[in-house]
Amino acid sequence: MGITEKKEAMVKHSWEVLKQNIPELSLRFFTLILEIALAARNMFSFLKDTPHNNPKLTAHALKVFKM
């Protein structure tokens, strides 16, 4: 079963909404992952203490979402 035109349009619309606020939403995404899966912090050498207000995490999240 393929994706319907309606679902494709919904995905495209969602990406347009996301692109309007990439810096905030990308950081929120990574912060939530790190809160839910504490072991994921080990994947990021720059997360020694907390992910909150971490400029390296902010830069990483932004880079990933822009890709």
Side-chain angles (χ1 to χ4, degrees):
M1 177 189 330
I3 188 168
T4 65
E5 287 183 26
K6 182 178 179 180
K7 288 181 181 179
E8 182 179 345
M10 289 171 62
V11 169
K12 287 180 179 180
H13 174 73
S14 296
W15 276 111
E16 291 304 317
V17 171
L18 175 78
K19 287 192 303 187
Q20 293 175 16
N21 199 2
I22 286 178
E24 181 182 334
L25 295 175
S26 63
L27 183 58
R28 175 100 172 109
F29 174 81
F30 274 90
T31 301
L32 285 173
I33 288 174
L34 295 170
E35 288 174 359
I36 294 168
L38 296 176
R41 289 184 187 197
N42 296 331
M43 296 174 61
F44 303 95
S45 61
F46 51 82
L47 290 178
K48 302 242 187 289
D49 300 318
T50 176
H52 300 289
N53 298 320
N54 185 312
K56 289 185 178 181
L57 178 62
T58 301
H60 175 75
L62 188 59
K63 184 189 296 186
V64 169
F65 267 59
K66 282 187 174 183
M67 279 199 272

